[in-house]
Amino acid sequence: MTGRFAPTPSGRMHIGNSYAMLAAWLSARARKQQILLRVEDIDMPRVVKNADQWIMDDLHWLGLDWAGVPEYQSNRGAIYELALKTLENMRLHSDYGHNSMPLVYPCFCSRADIRVASAPQEGDGFSVYPGTCRELISTDAEQSEMRVRNGDRHSLRIAMPAPSCGHDNVVFDDRVFGLQRYSLHSQIGDSIVRRSDGLVSYQLVVVVDDLLMGVDDIVRGRDLLRSTALQTWIRDALVSGGFVKAAHEKGYPVAQQALSHNQGHRQELGHEDQDHIDQGHAKYGEATQDLPATSEHAGLGKASPINPEYAHLPLIDNAAGRRLAKRERSLDLGTLRERGIAPERVIGYCAWLLGLQQEKEPVPMSADDALQVFAWAKVRSRLEDRNVPDDVSDILLK
């Protein structure tokens, strides 16, 4: 299996980042597998100069190594455009083939429009899109196309299947939170794959990167549980649309695991007409052999880049119960290192937060020491979010 670190270079790493990266490293190393480093710098306005170097230096300081050279999202724009084009060439069949619409369609709604029309959702950053422009593309495609030609500002959304089609649910077995089930229609909704400013969305690029890099062991915060359902739908569409093969033929780097599992996935689905797949004519939402196999059962069965395993971690909050932010200097690794705190104390504290230490107070240990006591069962034993006091540096200095 292959794991990954995927930091955003928007500032210095803090305790929460260290906790998540330690878990990702332990998950890969426990299986004697490699872990890759991907710098998620595609959203350039958020990037802080030299933050990527600070992150790599902090990882080395903590004893968390990785294989190969770091991959930067900012260098992969052509790959993301190919992925987007793959999706744009596909259609969604909503009622057993009698009606269809583009899998990706333009959305002219502002955030204010969506807020007014959307039902309230739980606090994980998701707001289910009410479908205003989906209705427009379905009932008056000519008007939608005219607005695009006129230069009206718009994003691009990927459509979800209708609940009546029988393939609305995504089910996956999380190694921490157990079996998860989400309705793509009612809990996810049609989601942005390209923003109105032209930037390809996080939800698309993370799938593209994990797929082509051969990542099949994904460890991250529980706030991304629901995103897993959306990313599964996107991954299935890309695979069924022939994206992996197309990326390889264009000379883009594709991990061998992705190529081999991609071919096996197609054989499982009974795809006989290779040209039919490469043209992106796979039908979603109806019971045909072209239906992506993993939409219904992601993360179940043998792990592969087509069907990764997931572990979502309880979140790390500050003393006030708010999620840690990189602007909280008292908790970042730069401040802790300046105060002379040893890496073993930080690793020990993160291992304690993960539930790997049963003591009332954290015990210093190296990453290799943490590996000796690592087990997902220990992480599962305590599912509530953790709170880190503002004076954590004083605790670590004891």
PDB file of all heavy atoms in Angstrom, residues 3-5 18-35 59 62-66 217 219 347 366-372 374:
ATOM      1  N   GLY A   3       0.848   5.355   1.168  1.00  0.00           N
ATOM      2  CA  GLY A   3       0.207   6.456   1.867  1.00  0.00           C
ATOM      3  C   GLY A   3       0.716   7.782   1.354  1.00  0.00           C
ATOM      4  O   GLY A   3       1.550   7.844   0.446  1.00  0.00           O
ATOM      5  N   ARG A   4       0.225   8.866   1.959  1.00  0.00           N
ATOM      6  CA  ARG A   4       0.703  10.184   1.525  1.00  0.00           C
ATOM      7  C   ARG A   4       0.535  11.224   2.623  1.00  0.00           C
ATOM      8  O   ARG A   4      -0.376  11.173   3.428  1.00  0.00           O
ATOM      9  CB  ARG A   4       0.020  10.643   0.246  1.00  0.00           C
ATOM     10  CG  ARG A   4      -1.507  10.434   0.137  1.00  0.00           C
ATOM     11  CD  ARG A   4      -2.308  11.483   0.816  1.00  0.00           C
ATOM     12  NE  ARG A   4      -3.655  11.625   0.275  1.00  0.00           N
ATOM     13  CZ  ARG A   4      -4.611  12.325   0.846  1.00  0.00           C
ATOM     14  NH1 ARG A   4      -4.408  12.924   1.995  1.00  0.00           N
ATOM     15  NH2 ARG A   4      -5.811  12.434   0.290  1.00  0.00           N
ATOM     16  N   PHE A   5       1.516  12.146   2.637  1.00  0.00           N
ATOM     17  CA  PHE A   5       1.363  13.412   3.334  1.00  0.00           C
ATOM     18  C   PHE A   5       0.815  14.390   2.295  1.00  0.00           C
ATOM     19  O   PHE A   5       1.280  14.397   1.156  1.00  0.00           O
ATOM     20  CB  PHE A   5       2.703  13.964   3.823  1.00  0.00           C
ATOM     21  CG  PHE A   5       3.445  13.109   4.812  1.00  0.00           C
ATOM     22  CD1 PHE A   5       4.799  12.815   4.619  1.00  0.00           C
ATOM     23  CD2 PHE A   5       2.825  12.619   5.952  1.00  0.00           C
ATOM     24  CE1 PHE A   5       5.487  12.051   5.530  1.00  0.00           C
ATOM     25  CE2 PHE A   5       3.513  11.851   6.867  1.00  0.00           C
ATOM     26  CZ  PHE A   5       4.855  11.563   6.667  1.00  0.00           C
ATOM     27  N   SER A  18       0.794  17.801  12.841  1.00  0.00           N
ATOM     28  CA  SER A  18       1.764  16.778  13.249  1.00  0.00           C
ATOM     29  C   SER A  18       1.065  15.485  13.633  1.00  0.00           C
ATOM     30  O   SER A  18       1.510  14.384  13.287  1.00  0.00           O
ATOM     31  CB  SER A  18       2.599  17.291  14.423  1.00  0.00           C
ATOM     32  OG  SER A  18       3.206  18.533  14.115  1.00  0.00           O
ATOM     33  N   TYR A  19      -0.041  15.607  14.334  1.00  0.00           N
ATOM     34  CA  TYR A  19      -0.851  14.463  14.764  1.00  0.00           C
ATOM     35  C   TYR A  19      -1.358  13.681  13.544  1.00  0.00           C
ATOM     36  O   TYR A  19      -1.260  12.450  13.482  1.00  0.00           O
ATOM     37  CB  TYR A  19      -1.988  15.031  15.615  1.00  0.00           C
ATOM     38  CG  TYR A  19      -3.291  14.304  15.717  1.00  0.00           C
ATOM     39  CD1 TYR A  19      -3.527  13.380  16.745  1.00  0.00           C
ATOM     40  CD2 TYR A  19      -4.350  14.607  14.856  1.00  0.00           C
ATOM     41  CE1 TYR A  19      -4.767  12.766  16.879  1.00  0.00           C
ATOM     42  CE2 TYR A  19      -5.582  14.009  15.001  1.00  0.00           C
ATOM     43  CZ  TYR A  19      -5.797  13.085  16.001  1.00  0.00           C
ATOM     44  OH  TYR A  19      -7.021  12.499  16.146  1.00  0.00           O
ATOM     45  N   ALA A  20      -1.878  14.396  12.528  1.00  0.00           N
ATOM     46  CA  ALA A  20      -2.401  13.732  11.343  1.00  0.00           C
ATOM     47  C   ALA A  20      -1.288  13.102  10.512  1.00  0.00           C
ATOM     48  O   ALA A  20      -1.437  11.992   9.985  1.00  0.00           O
ATOM     49  CB  ALA A  20      -3.197  14.723  10.493  1.00  0.00           C
ATOM     50  N   MET A  21      -0.164  13.794  10.406  1.00  0.00           N
ATOM     51  CA  MET A  21       0.931  13.260   9.599  1.00  0.00           C
ATOM     52  C   MET A  21       1.597  12.077  10.285  1.00  0.00           C
ATOM     53  O   MET A  21       2.035  11.136   9.612  1.00  0.00           O
ATOM     54  CB  MET A  21       1.930  14.368   9.273  1.00  0.00           C
ATOM     55  CG  MET A  21       1.345  15.405   8.328  1.00  0.00           C
ATOM     56  SD  MET A  21       2.585  16.469   7.591  1.00  0.00           S
ATOM     57  CE  MET A  21       1.531  17.748   6.890  1.00  0.00           C
ATOM     58  N   LEU A  22       1.669  12.112  11.602  1.00  0.00           N
ATOM     59  CA  LEU A  22       2.179  10.949  12.320  1.00  0.00           C
ATOM     60  C   LEU A  22       1.288   9.740  12.055  1.00  0.00           C
ATOM     61  O   LEU A  22       1.774   8.637  11.790  1.00  0.00           O
ATOM     62  CB  LEU A  22       2.257  11.232  13.822  1.00  0.00           C
ATOM     63  CG  LEU A  22       2.641  10.030  14.701  1.00  0.00           C
ATOM     64  CD1 LEU A  22       4.029   9.520  14.364  1.00  0.00           C
ATOM     65  CD2 LEU A  22       2.534  10.394  16.182  1.00  0.00           C
ATOM     66  N   ALA A  23      -0.030   9.933  12.113  1.00  0.00           N
ATOM     67  CA  ALA A  23      -0.957   8.826  11.870  1.00  0.00           C
ATOM     68  C   ALA A  23      -0.789   8.270  10.458  1.00  0.00           C
ATOM     69  O   ALA A  23      -0.801   7.045  10.259  1.00  0.00           O
ATOM     70  CB  ALA A  23      -2.391   9.291  12.096  1.00  0.00           C
ATOM     71  N   ALA A  24      -0.639   9.154   9.468  1.00  0.00           N
ATOM     72  CA  ALA A  24      -0.449   8.702   8.088  1.00  0.00           C
ATOM     73  C   ALA A  24       0.850   7.919   7.950  1.00  0.00           C
ATOM     74  O   ALA A  24       0.905   6.867   7.286  1.00  0.00           O
ATOM     75  CB  ALA A  24      -0.455   9.899   7.141  1.00  0.00           C
ATOM     76  N   TRP A  25       1.909   8.417   8.573  1.00  0.00           N
ATOM     77  CA  TRP A  25       3.212   7.748   8.521  1.00  0.00           C
ATOM     78  C   TRP A  25       3.135   6.383   9.197  1.00  0.00           C
ATOM     79  O   TRP A  25       3.627   5.383   8.665  1.00  0.00           O
ATOM     80  CB  TRP A  25       4.254   8.644   9.199  1.00  0.00           C
ATOM     81  CG  TRP A  25       5.669   8.152   9.118  1.00  0.00           C
ATOM     82  CD1 TRP A  25       6.572   8.415   8.129  1.00  0.00           C
ATOM     83  CD2 TRP A  25       6.362   7.345  10.086  1.00  0.00           C
ATOM     84  NE1 TRP A  25       7.776   7.822   8.411  1.00  0.00           N
ATOM     85  CE2 TRP A  25       7.672   7.163   9.615  1.00  0.00           C
ATOM     86  CE3 TRP A  25       5.996   6.781  11.302  1.00  0.00           C
ATOM     87  CZ2 TRP A  25       8.625   6.410  10.310  1.00  0.00           C
ATOM     88  CZ3 TRP A  25       6.937   6.026  12.000  1.00  0.00           C
ATOM     89  CH2 TRP A  25       8.236   5.847  11.515  1.00  0.00           C
ATOM     90  N   LEU A  26       2.510   6.312  10.350  1.00  0.00           N
ATOM     91  CA  LEU A  26       2.391   5.045  11.080  1.00  0.00           C
ATOM     92  C   LEU A  26       1.582   4.027  10.292  1.00  0.00           C
ATOM     93  O   LEU A  26       1.906   2.838  10.257  1.00  0.00           O
ATOM     94  CB  LEU A  26       1.746   5.286  12.446  1.00  0.00           C
ATOM     95  CG  LEU A  26       2.578   6.068  13.468  1.00  0.00           C
ATOM     96  CD1 LEU A  26       1.727   6.418  14.689  1.00  0.00           C
ATOM     97  CD2 LEU A  26       3.820   5.276  13.885  1.00  0.00           C
ATOM     98  N   SER A  27       0.504   4.483   9.651  1.00  0.00           N
ATOM     99  CA  SER A  27      -0.341   3.583   8.879  1.00  0.00           C
ATOM    100  C   SER A  27       0.446   2.923   7.752  1.00  0.00           C
ATOM    101  O   SER A  27       0.329   1.713   7.525  1.00  0.00           O
ATOM    102  CB  SER A  27      -1.534   4.352   8.307  1.00  0.00           C
ATOM    103  OG  SER A  27      -2.405   3.498   7.599  1.00  0.00           O
ATOM    104  N   ALA A  28       1.252   3.723   7.040  1.00  0.00           N
ATOM    105  CA  ALA A  28       2.050   3.175   5.945  1.00  0.00           C
ATOM    106  C   ALA A  28       3.182   2.299   6.468  1.00  0.00           C
ATOM    107  O   ALA A  28       3.390   1.178   5.994  1.00  0.00           O
ATOM    108  CB  ALA A  28       2.609   4.314   5.090  1.00  0.00           C
ATOM    109  N   ARG A  29       3.892   2.791   7.469  1.00  0.00           N
ATOM    110  CA  ARG A  29       5.064   2.057   7.966  1.00  0.00           C
ATOM    111  C   ARG A  29       4.668   0.760   8.680  1.00  0.00           C
ATOM    112  O   ARG A  29       5.422  -0.214   8.670  1.00  0.00           O
ATOM    113  CB  ARG A  29       5.872   2.945   8.902  1.00  0.00           C
ATOM    114  CG  ARG A  29       6.590   4.086   8.196  1.00  0.00           C
ATOM    115  CD  ARG A  29       7.715   3.547   7.308  1.00  0.00           C
ATOM    116  NE  ARG A  29       8.453   4.649   6.681  1.00  0.00           N
ATOM    117  CZ  ARG A  29       8.322   4.989   5.415  1.00  0.00           C
ATOM    118  NH1 ARG A  29       7.464   4.335   4.641  1.00  0.00           N
ATOM    119  NH2 ARG A  29       9.045   5.961   4.896  1.00  0.00           N
ATOM    120  N   ALA A  30       3.497   0.729   9.286  1.00  0.00           N
ATOM    121  CA  ALA A  30       3.044  -0.497   9.962  1.00  0.00           C
ATOM    122  C   ALA A  30       2.880  -1.645   8.968  1.00  0.00           C
ATOM    123  O   ALA A  30       2.975  -2.817   9.336  1.00  0.00           O
ATOM    124  CB  ALA A  30       1.727  -0.245  10.698  1.00  0.00           C
ATOM    125  N   ARG A  31       2.635  -1.302   7.692  1.00  0.00           N
ATOM    126  CA  ARG A  31       2.497  -2.317   6.650  1.00  0.00           C
ATOM    127  C   ARG A  31       3.777  -2.417   5.823  1.00  0.00           C
ATOM    128  O   ARG A  31       3.787  -3.058   4.765  1.00  0.00           O
ATOM    129  CB  ARG A  31       1.326  -1.969   5.742  1.00  0.00           C
ATOM    130  CG  ARG A  31       0.011  -1.750   6.489  1.00  0.00           C
ATOM    131  CD  ARG A  31      -1.106  -1.522   5.507  1.00  0.00           C
ATOM    132  NE  ARG A  31      -2.273  -0.928   6.149  1.00  0.00           N
ATOM    133  CZ  ARG A  31      -3.518  -1.129   5.727  1.00  0.00           C
ATOM    134  NH1 ARG A  31      -3.737  -1.884   4.692  1.00  0.00           N
ATOM    135  NH2 ARG A  31      -4.527  -0.562   6.348  1.00  0.00           N
ATOM    136  N   LYS A  32       4.822  -1.739   6.292  1.00  0.00           N
ATOM    137  CA  LYS A  32       6.116  -1.730   5.600  1.00  0.00           C
ATOM    138  C   LYS A  32       5.972  -1.200   4.169  1.00  0.00           C
ATOM    139  O   LYS A  32       6.583  -1.707   3.231  1.00  0.00           O
ATOM    140  CB  LYS A  32       6.757  -3.125   5.608  1.00  0.00           C
ATOM    141  CG  LYS A  32       6.959  -3.688   7.006  1.00  0.00           C
ATOM    142  CD  LYS A  32       7.736  -4.967   6.972  1.00  0.00           C
ATOM    143  CE  LYS A  32       7.832  -5.599   8.367  1.00  0.00           C
ATOM    144  NZ  LYS A  32       8.379  -4.694   9.386  1.00  0.00           N
ATOM    145  N   GLN A  33       5.130  -0.166   4.022  1.00  0.00           N
ATOM    146  CA  GLN A  33       4.899   0.431   2.726  1.00  0.00           C
ATOM    147  C   GLN A  33       5.413   1.869   2.700  1.00  0.00           C
ATOM    148  O   GLN A  33       5.717   2.455   3.737  1.00  0.00           O
ATOM    149  CB  GLN A  33       3.408   0.403   2.393  1.00  0.00           C
ATOM    150  CG  GLN A  33       2.811  -0.989   2.324  1.00  0.00           C
ATOM    151  CD  GLN A  33       3.405  -1.836   1.219  1.00  0.00           C
ATOM    152  OE1 GLN A  33       3.760  -1.332   0.161  1.00  0.00           O
ATOM    153  NE2 GLN A  33       3.519  -3.133   1.466  1.00  0.00           N
ATOM    154  N   GLN A  34       5.475   2.439   1.502  1.00  0.00           N
ATOM    155  CA  GLN A  34       6.017   3.780   1.348  1.00  0.00           C
ATOM    156  C   GLN A  34       4.948   4.834   1.582  1.00  0.00           C
ATOM    157  O   GLN A  34       3.743   4.575   1.509  1.00  0.00           O
ATOM    158  CB  GLN A  34       6.603   3.952  -0.042  1.00  0.00           C
ATOM    159  CG  GLN A  34       5.569   3.935  -1.164  1.00  0.00           C
ATOM    160  CD  GLN A  34       6.174   4.196  -2.526  1.00  0.00           C
ATOM    161  OE1 GLN A  34       7.351   4.529  -2.653  1.00  0.00           O
ATOM    162  NE2 GLN A  34       5.378   4.081  -3.585  1.00  0.00           N
ATOM    163  N   ILE A  35       5.422   6.041   1.857  1.00  0.00           N
ATOM    164  CA  ILE A  35       4.540   7.199   1.951  1.00  0.00           C
ATOM    165  C   ILE A  35       5.127   8.306   1.085  1.00  0.00           C
ATOM    166  O   ILE A  35       6.351   8.496   1.034  1.00  0.00           O
ATOM    167  CB  ILE A  35       4.353   7.646   3.419  1.00  0.00           C
ATOM    168  CG1 ILE A  35       3.268   8.722   3.525  1.00  0.00           C
ATOM    169  CG2 ILE A  35       5.664   8.112   4.043  1.00  0.00           C
ATOM    170  CD1 ILE A  35       2.754   8.930   4.935  1.00  0.00           C
ATOM    171  N   LEU A  59       9.003  17.946   9.160  1.00  0.00           N
ATOM    172  CA  LEU A  59       8.825  16.500   9.022  1.00  0.00           C
ATOM    173  C   LEU A  59      10.137  15.763   9.285  1.00  0.00           C
ATOM    174  O   LEU A  59      10.154  14.737   9.984  1.00  0.00           O
ATOM    175  CB  LEU A  59       8.291  16.152   7.629  1.00  0.00           C
ATOM    176  CG  LEU A  59       6.831  16.503   7.354  1.00  0.00           C
ATOM    177  CD1 LEU A  59       6.499  16.327   5.867  1.00  0.00           C
ATOM    178  CD2 LEU A  59       5.888  15.653   8.200  1.00  0.00           C
ATOM    179  N   LEU A  62      10.834  15.763  12.971  1.00  0.00           N
ATOM    180  CA  LEU A  62       9.990  14.810  13.696  1.00  0.00           C
ATOM    181  C   LEU A  62      10.379  13.362  13.424  1.00  0.00           C
ATOM    182  O   LEU A  62       9.931  12.452  14.139  1.00  0.00           O
ATOM    183  CB  LEU A  62       8.518  15.006  13.308  1.00  0.00           C
ATOM    184  CG  LEU A  62       7.854  16.292  13.786  1.00  0.00           C
ATOM    185  CD1 LEU A  62       6.503  16.478  13.110  1.00  0.00           C
ATOM    186  CD2 LEU A  62       7.688  16.298  15.315  1.00  0.00           C
ATOM    187  N   GLY A  63      11.188  13.131  12.400  1.00  0.00           N
ATOM    188  CA  GLY A  63      11.569  11.768  12.047  1.00  0.00           C
ATOM    189  C   GLY A  63      10.575  11.087  11.135  1.00  0.00           C
ATOM    190  O   GLY A  63      10.546   9.851  11.054  1.00  0.00           O
ATOM    191  N   LEU A  64       9.775  11.878  10.404  1.00  0.00           N
ATOM    192  CA  LEU A  64       8.774  11.337   9.489  1.00  0.00           C
ATOM    193  C   LEU A  64       9.296  11.475   8.066  1.00  0.00           C
ATOM    194  O   LEU A  64       9.258  12.552   7.477  1.00  0.00           O
ATOM    195  CB  LEU A  64       7.445  12.068   9.658  1.00  0.00           C
ATOM    196  CG  LEU A  64       6.865  12.101  11.083  1.00  0.00           C
ATOM    197  CD1 LEU A  64       5.551  12.872  11.108  1.00  0.00           C
ATOM    198  CD2 LEU A  64       6.676  10.690  11.639  1.00  0.00           C
ATOM    199  N   ASP A  65       9.796  10.376   7.511  1.00  0.00           N
ATOM    200  CA  ASP A  65      10.397  10.418   6.183  1.00  0.00           C
ATOM    201  C   ASP A  65       9.379  10.043   5.120  1.00  0.00           C
ATOM    202  O   ASP A  65       8.271   9.596   5.415  1.00  0.00           O
ATOM    203  CB  ASP A  65      11.608   9.487   6.119  1.00  0.00           C
ATOM    204  CG  ASP A  65      11.234   8.041   6.448  1.00  0.00           C
ATOM    205  OD1 ASP A  65      10.162   7.816   7.037  1.00  0.00           O
ATOM    206  OD2 ASP A  65      12.014   7.131   6.105  1.00  0.00           O
ATOM    207  N   TRP A  66       9.763  10.239   3.859  1.00  0.00           N
ATOM    208  CA  TRP A  66       8.905   9.898   2.734  1.00  0.00           C
ATOM    209  C   TRP A  66       9.759   9.420   1.578  1.00  0.00           C
ATOM    210  O   TRP A  66      10.984   9.591   1.566  1.00  0.00           O
ATOM    211  CB  TRP A  66       8.046  11.094   2.315  1.00  0.00           C
ATOM    212  CG  TRP A  66       8.818  12.284   1.831  1.00  0.00           C
ATOM    213  CD1 TRP A  66       9.232  12.543   0.552  1.00  0.00           C
ATOM    214  CD2 TRP A  66       9.318  13.377   2.632  1.00  0.00           C
ATOM    215  NE1 TRP A  66       9.931  13.717   0.497  1.00  0.00           N
ATOM    216  CE2 TRP A  66       9.993  14.258   1.757  1.00  0.00           C
ATOM    217  CE3 TRP A  66       9.237  13.695   3.992  1.00  0.00           C
ATOM    218  CZ2 TRP A  66      10.606  15.426   2.203  1.00  0.00           C
ATOM    219  CZ3 TRP A  66       9.841  14.856   4.428  1.00  0.00           C
ATOM    220  CH2 TRP A  66      10.509  15.720   3.544  1.00  0.00           C
ATOM    221  N   ASP A 217      -3.929   4.344   0.638  1.00  0.00           N
ATOM    222  CA  ASP A 217      -4.028   4.421   2.102  1.00  0.00           C
ATOM    223  C   ASP A 217      -4.155   5.894   2.462  1.00  0.00           C
ATOM    224  O   ASP A 217      -3.169   6.638   2.458  1.00  0.00           O
ATOM    225  CB  ASP A 217      -2.778   3.804   2.732  1.00  0.00           C
ATOM    226  CG  ASP A 217      -2.788   3.831   4.250  1.00  0.00           C
ATOM    227  OD1 ASP A 217      -3.875   4.015   4.831  1.00  0.00           O
ATOM    228  OD2 ASP A 217      -1.714   3.657   4.859  1.00  0.00           O
ATOM    229  N   VAL A 219      -5.246   8.859   5.086  1.00  0.00           N
ATOM    230  CA  VAL A 219      -5.470   9.201   6.492  1.00  0.00           C
ATOM    231  C   VAL A 219      -5.652  10.702   6.582  1.00  0.00           C
ATOM    232  O   VAL A 219      -4.805  11.470   6.110  1.00  0.00           O
ATOM    233  CB  VAL A 219      -4.281   8.751   7.369  1.00  0.00           C
ATOM    234  CG1 VAL A 219      -4.520   9.114   8.831  1.00  0.00           C
ATOM    235  CG2 VAL A 219      -4.040   7.249   7.227  1.00  0.00           C
ATOM    236  N   ILE A 347       6.242  14.141  19.264  1.00  0.00           N
ATOM    237  CA  ILE A 347       5.755  12.837  18.801  1.00  0.00           C
ATOM    238  C   ILE A 347       5.002  12.129  19.919  1.00  0.00           C
ATOM    239  O   ILE A 347       3.918  11.558  19.708  1.00  0.00           O
ATOM    240  CB  ILE A 347       6.917  11.951  18.297  1.00  0.00           C
ATOM    241  CG1 ILE A 347       7.495  12.519  16.996  1.00  0.00           C
ATOM    242  CG2 ILE A 347       6.453  10.503  18.110  1.00  0.00           C
ATOM    243  CD1 ILE A 347       6.580  12.388  15.790  1.00  0.00           C
ATOM    244  N   SER A 366      10.051   8.458  20.138  1.00  0.00           N
ATOM    245  CA  SER A 366      10.376   8.732  18.743  1.00  0.00           C
ATOM    246  C   SER A 366       9.281   8.172  17.843  1.00  0.00           C
ATOM    247  O   SER A 366       8.415   7.408  18.286  1.00  0.00           O
ATOM    248  CB  SER A 366      11.714   8.080  18.383  1.00  0.00           C
ATOM    249  OG  SER A 366      11.578   6.658  18.412  1.00  0.00           O
ATOM    250  N   ALA A 367       9.340   8.528  16.559  1.00  0.00           N
ATOM    251  CA  ALA A 367       8.370   7.976  15.611  1.00  0.00           C
ATOM    252  C   ALA A 367       8.502   6.459  15.535  1.00  0.00           C
ATOM    253  O   ALA A 367       7.494   5.742  15.458  1.00  0.00           O
ATOM    254  CB  ALA A 367       8.575   8.608  14.242  1.00  0.00           C
ATOM    255  N   ASP A 368       9.724   5.964  15.576  1.00  0.00           N
ATOM    256  CA  ASP A 368       9.925   4.510  15.546  1.00  0.00           C
ATOM    257  C   ASP A 368       9.357   3.850  16.794  1.00  0.00           C
ATOM    258  O   ASP A 368       8.807   2.746  16.725  1.00  0.00           O
ATOM    259  CB  ASP A 368      11.409   4.183  15.409  1.00  0.00           C
ATOM    260  CG  ASP A 368      11.938   4.472  14.005  1.00  0.00           C
ATOM    261  OD1 ASP A 368      11.129   4.422  13.045  1.00  0.00           O
ATOM    262  OD2 ASP A 368      13.133   4.747  13.860  1.00  0.00           O
ATOM    263  N   ASP A 369       9.478   4.515  17.955  1.00  0.00           N
ATOM    264  CA  ASP A 369       8.867   3.979  19.178  1.00  0.00           C
ATOM    265  C   ASP A 369       7.341   3.920  19.029  1.00  0.00           C
ATOM    266  O   ASP A 369       6.700   2.943  19.435  1.00  0.00           O
ATOM    267  CB  ASP A 369       9.205   4.867  20.384  1.00  0.00           C
ATOM    268  CG  ASP A 369      10.677   4.823  20.755  1.00  0.00           C
ATOM    269  OD1 ASP A 369      11.337   3.815  20.447  1.00  0.00           O
ATOM    270  OD2 ASP A 369      11.160   5.809  21.342  1.00  0.00           O
ATOM    271  N   ALA A 370       6.763   4.970  18.441  1.00  0.00           N
ATOM    272  CA  ALA A 370       5.312   5.002  18.253  1.00  0.00           C
ATOM    273  C   ALA A 370       4.857   3.874  17.322  1.00  0.00           C
ATOM    274  O   ALA A 370       3.777   3.300  17.509  1.00  0.00           O
ATOM    275  CB  ALA A 370       4.883   6.358  17.687  1.00  0.00           C
ATOM    276  N   LEU A 371       5.701   3.561  16.352  1.00  0.00           N
ATOM    277  CA  LEU A 371       5.369   2.487  15.417  1.00  0.00           C
ATOM    278  C   LEU A 371       5.216   1.146  16.132  1.00  0.00           C
ATOM    279  O   LEU A 371       4.382   0.317  15.760  1.00  0.00           O
ATOM    280  CB  LEU A 371       6.443   2.402  14.339  1.00  0.00           C
ATOM    281  CG  LEU A 371       6.229   1.410  13.202  1.00  0.00           C
ATOM    282  CD1 LEU A 371       4.919   1.692  12.471  1.00  0.00           C
ATOM    283  CD2 LEU A 371       7.406   1.450  12.228  1.00  0.00           C
ATOM    284  N   GLN A 372       6.004   0.952  17.176  1.00  0.00           N
ATOM    285  CA  GLN A 372       5.956  -0.317  17.915  1.00  0.00           C
ATOM    286  C   GLN A 372       4.646  -0.508  18.662  1.00  0.00           C
ATOM    287  O   GLN A 372       4.240  -1.649  18.933  1.00  0.00           O
ATOM    288  CB  GLN A 372       7.129  -0.389  18.899  1.00  0.00           C
ATOM    289  CG  GLN A 372       8.507  -0.267  18.268  1.00  0.00           C
ATOM    290  CD  GLN A 372       8.702  -1.229  17.106  1.00  0.00           C
ATOM    291  OE1 GLN A 372       8.463  -2.427  17.243  1.00  0.00           O
ATOM    292  NE2 GLN A 372       9.130  -0.705  15.964  1.00  0.00           N
ATOM    293  N   PHE A 374       1.680   1.099  17.636  1.00  0.00           N
ATOM    294  CA  PHE A 374       0.580   1.581  16.801  1.00  0.00           C
ATOM    295  C   PHE A 374      -0.430   0.482  16.495  1.00  0.00           C
ATOM    296  O   PHE A 374      -0.075  -0.649  16.150  1.00  0.00           O
ATOM    297  CB  PHE A 374       1.112   2.136  15.488  1.00  0.00           C
ATOM    298  CG  PHE A 374       0.034   2.497  14.503  1.00  0.00           C
ATOM    299  CD1 PHE A 374      -0.773   3.600  14.718  1.00  0.00           C
ATOM    300  CD2 PHE A 374      -0.189   1.714  13.375  1.00  0.00           C
ATOM    301  CE1 PHE A 374      -1.781   3.941  13.822  1.00  0.00           C
ATOM    302  CE2 PHE A 374      -1.186   2.046  12.474  1.00  0.00           C
ATOM    303  CZ  PHE A 374      -1.981   3.156  12.700  1.00  0.00           C
TER     304      PHE A 374
END
